[in-house]
Amino acid sequence: MQKVYLDNAATTPIDPEVVKAMHQVMLEDFGNPSSLHFFGRKTRALIEKSRRSIAEQLNVSAGEIFFTSGGTEADNMAIWQTVIDHGIKHLITSPIEHHAVLHTAQELEKRGLVQLHFVKVDAAGHVDVHHLEELLQHNSKALVTLMHANNEIGNLLDLSRVGNLCKKYDALFHSDTVQTMAHYTFDLQKLPVDMISCSAHKFHGPKGSGFIYLSSDLQVKPLIYGGSQERNMRGGTENLYGIVGLAKAFEIANQEVQTHQKYVQSLKTYMIDWLEQHIKGVSFNGDAKGNSLYTVLNVCLPKTDKAEMLLYLLDIKGIACSAGSACTSGANTGSHVLKAINSDMQRPSLRFSFSRMNTLEEVKYACSVIKSIFN
Ligand code: PLP
């Protein structure tokens, strides 16, 4: 049976070139990067080369990149560290953030460390920037954390506009860029952000590896204490192989980013057009045809008595997609994102997410299976 993977917002298959780069280091290098002898110096050099390569592509200094275990840790670092070390009193976020941000923000509020404010989101899933400005006007000492692209519906945020607003009101700005890093190019000299998060497994890199960019203007203490790794900012022996894989995946993605964008967008557009033509009553959650990430399509299907079975029916036909975010896929407990944008929760919604490794034939097959279920 054909197996079609359309759940790339949850994770992507690793690129064989990335495996090769990691494998070579696994075979040849094992020294602890903190050791002063030759073996340690060699792995230290590999880590610093990876850091420099990522920093160059983002147009920042290498000292502003800190390796982490992925997006969740990067989000936690950004929020905890600035709340504690910059005396943040107001945390401004949106109801459609990933749980790595939402649960962190809620925990800080529960501990009485911040007052939490939610920016309104419109029916298309876009953050209301005028409401954000109102919140900033009334709440000084604020940290704003808003994601660049939503992992469930794909809506994109205008980072420059939000970043400039934060500057105007002297607020710090973190963006969870986990779904967009290496899917777009970023020039952090020009983009007014203080912190962004990255996770390698969202762009054909290894799981458990990512980074946070922390602007050198920020003075923060570590989240994880221990050794002096990451210039005293994150204790613990570095994930050498993960870091090498992350840098390789980042390099591959950035080399051909425009080609990938165009190709993957064509798969998404094909699916939108096809479903509109063949499934009566279909619609799309978020702003699928507008300001939207080219890898994600959230489809709102007609009411059916098979709704509970939909993921299963697709799965037995070899199609992998998701009913919400990765954390809830398989068990549709009701997406907090779809609820926040007032999507019709009586109708089943499915998230299809694409990568450069998908083919048009795979998308066509998925479309025909959906049609066979609904007709
Ligand atoms: N933020 C967003 C928007 C995500 O989509 C994810 C992963 O699903 C994360 C954060 C968490 O990243 P990681 O799996 O690397 O911890």
Side-chain angles (χ1 to χ4, degrees):
M1 184 188 41
Q2 195 173 356
K3 290 255 187 292
V4 176
Y5 185 76
L6 294 176
D7 200 14
N8 290 280
T11 195
T12 52
I14 196 161
D15 187 312
E17 286 300 311
V18 172
V19 176
K20 229 164 102 194
M22 292 171 73
H23 189 226
Q24 191 188 342
V25 177
M26 280 175 178
L27 288 175
E28 292 174 10
D29 304 294
F30 64 90
N32 188 320
S34 297
S35 299
L36 295 178
H37 48 61
F38 171 80
F39 296 90
R41 290 200 308 276
K42 181 130 187 260
T43 53
R44 160 72 43 224
L46 287 169
I47 290 175
E48 295 316 319
K49 186 174 161 214
S50 302
R51 197 189 313 277
R52 276 197 308 278
S53 158
I54 291 168
E56 264 168 35
Q57 291 167 79
L58 294 174
N59 198 15
V60 291
S61 90
E64 295 176 304
I65 301 295
F66 299 89
F67 292 118
T68 67
S69 64
T72 302
E73 187 186 326
D75 288 344
N76 269 265
M77 254 173 110
I79 301 170
W80 279 100
Q81 288 178 310
T82 49
V83 165
I84 291 168
D85 297 327
H86 277 255
I88 296 295
K89 296 283 170 247
H90 297 277
L91 188 45
I92 302 175
T93 188
S94 86
I96 61 169
E97 298 301 303
H98 189 272
H99 284 148
V101 165
L102 272 185
H103 290 171
T104 307
Q106 284 157 352
E107 180 61 25
L108 285 162
E109 187 190 40
K110 218 159 63 188
R111 294 189 190 198
L113 293 169
V114 290
Q115 204 180 328
L116 190 53
H117 308 267
F118 288 102
V119 192
K120 287 182 201 152
V121 174
D122 65 22
H126 289 300
V127 163
D128 180 342
V129 182
H130 297 293
H131 185 225
L132 173 63
E133 179 151 24
E134 263 173 50
L135 290 172
L136 285 167
Q137 273 164 354
H138 294 108
N139 300 290
S140 56
K141 290 241 152 243
L143 164 66
V144 173
T145 172
L146 290 170
M147 68 205 312
H148 187 198
N150 186 276
N151 52 301
E152 291 191 41
I153 55 174
N155 278 47
L156 282 167
L157 180 80
D158 184 341
L159 286 182
S160 291
R161 187 167 173 209
V162 170
N164 284 323
L165 208 54
C166 291
K167 278 215 176 329
K168 180 173 166 193
Y169 292 96
D170 211 15
L172 292 179
F173 180 35
H174 163 249
S175 184
D176 176 336
T177 48
V178 165
Q179 291 290 342
T180 52
M181 265 285 122
H183 293 281
Y184 295 92
T185 47
F186 289 76
D187 181 346
L188 297 182
Q189 292 298 323
K190 295 198 180 126
L191 211 55
V193 293
D194 298 298
M195 298 163 277
I196 55 171
S197 312
C198 171
S199 177
H201 74 101
K202 306 292 186 183
F203 50 92
H204 310 288
K207 292 168 183 54
S209 178
F211 66 81
I212 181 165
Y213 155 76
L214 285 175
S215 154
S216 57
D217 297 338
L218 295 170
Q219 299 294 324
V220 289
K221 294 202 180 104
L223 181 69
I224 297 174
Y225 283 84
S228 58
Q229 292 89 353
E230 295 299 293
R231 296 177 313 291
N232 280 317
M233 279 292 288
R234 182 187 186 261
T237 302
E238 297 89 339
N239 175 8
L240 168 68
Y241 312 118
I243 290 170
V244 168
L246 159 68
K248 185 70 186 174
F250 202 68
E251 182 194 311
I252 295 171
N254 279 323
Q255 266 165 6
E256 304 223 31
V257 70
Q258 269 147 19
T259 315
H260 297 159
Q261 273 176 15
K262 214 168 142 208
Y263 174 66
V264 178
Q265 177 68 56
S266 75
L267 300 179
K268 173 173 166 173
T269 304
Y270 179 90
M271 195 173 208
I272 292 176
D273 292 346
W274 198 95
L275 291 176
E276 279 185 333
Q277 275 173 32
H278 295 89
I279 308 283
K280 206 164 158 243
V282 77
S283 59
F284 303 98
N285 293 307
D287 190 16
K289 295 183 202 169
N291 196 14
S292 180
L293 176 62
Y294 58 90
T295 55
V296 171
L297 179 63
N298 198 309
V299 184
C300 189
L301 290 153
K303 249 188 209 169
T304 165
D305 51 7
K306 294 182 197 151
E308 301 286 312
M309 302 273 288
L310 217 46
L311 273 186
Y312 170 73
L313 292 172
L314 288 163
D315 191 37
I316 56 173
K317 293 282 186 190
I319 296 162
C321 64
S322 155
S325 67
C327 322
T328 53
S329 62
N332 191 3
T333 51
S335 146
H336 68 285
V337 175
L338 297 186
K339 278 183 196 152
I341 62 167
N342 291 321
S343 172
D344 183 351
M345 302 301 278
Q346 300 305 312
R347 286 168 57 187
S349 287
L350 293 175
R351 178 187 70 181
F352 294 93
S353 46
F354 314 93
S355 87
R356 63 180 161 87
M357 294 192 185
N358 287 122
T359 64
L360 182 60
E361 280 58 47
E362 289 178 327
V363 176
K364 285 182 177 171
Y365 174 65
C367 287
S368 69
V369 172
I370 298 169
K371 188 176 172 196
S372 71
I373 294 171
F374 276 86
N375 292 345

